[in-house]
Amino acid sequence: MSSVNKVILVGHCGRDPEMRSFPSGDQVANVTIATSEKWKDKQTGEMKELTEWSRVVFAGRLAEIAGQYLRKGSLVYVEGSLRTRKWADKDGKDNYSTEIRASSLQMLGPRPDGERAPTPAKDAGLKPSPKASGFDDMDDDIPF
């Protein structure tokens, strides 16, 4: 039986992208995305809200686009897959981080500065491909 590892988020960037470059020239962008759900409490009638923060990692061309266009408050649509990586802290203790490795990015709504959000991937004529996310050539042990 096969399995599916797919994540779809629509939410707001919690901060400007954190950009990293590697000696090979590859870039990685880390972004936190907030997604919220609202409901009415049946017992009190009070409106409740729960916000979930997700760490999203963009690589390759998507990292360049994220670094250029995303800002705190940007509304985005992201598709990707979950990835958990293991890393050791300064005391040698093992830690685990679960992130979303983005394979697709769509900017929604106006930019925080009030202008219309550009669609650089579409405007540049980029077509989806297995290497579009930039993760195919990356080693899983690289700390983002």
Side-chain angles (χ1 to χ4, degrees):
M1 175 178 244
S2 64
S3 61
V4 176
N5 181 0
K6 183 164 185 151
V7 175
I8 298 174
L9 294 177
V10 176
H12 292 273
C13 295
R15 59 184 164 91
D16 289 353
E18 176 187 310
M19 300 297 297
R20 288 188 154 165
S21 295
F22 295 98
S24 65
D26 289 336
Q27 288 188 322
V28 172
N30 291 313
V31 178
T32 54
I33 297 180
T35 54
S36 298
E37 54 183 295
K38 297 178 183 179
W39 70 95
K40 188 175 184 177
D41 187 295
K42 291 181 181 180
Q43 293 178 342
T44 65
E46 181 182 354
M47 289 301 294
K48 301 275 187 168
E49 182 175 5
L50 174 68
T51 300
E52 184 71 35
W53 290 92
S54 301
R55 184 175 171 92
V56 180
V57 180
F58 298 95
R61 180 70 178 130
L62 285 179
E64 294 174 34
I65 293 168
Q68 184 175 2
Y69 294 105
L70 296 185
R71 294 293 172 260
K72 180 179 180 177
S74 296
L75 181 61
V76 294
Y77 171 93
V78 175
E79 288 185 22
S81 59
L82 285 177
R83 186 68 54 103
T84 301
R85 52 184 185 87
K86 179 181 173 181
W87 52 280
D89 63 15
K90 61 183 177 184
D91 298 326
K93 180 182 173 194
D94 288 342
N95 292 285
Y96 297 88
S97 295
T98 299
E99 304 163 327
I100 297 162
R101 284 199 170 178
S103 59
S104 174
L105 166 66
Q106 180 70 44
M107 290 162 275
L108 306 173
R111 294 192 319 205
D113 61 9
E115 293 185 28
R116 183 183 148 282
T119 53
K122 187 175 180 182
D123 294 343
L126 299 176
K127 296 179 181 174
S129 72
K131 292 194 172 222
S133 68
F135 287 113
D136 293 337
D137 298 328
M138 295 183 70
D139 183 7
D140 283 340
D141 294 332
I142 296 174
F144 293 115

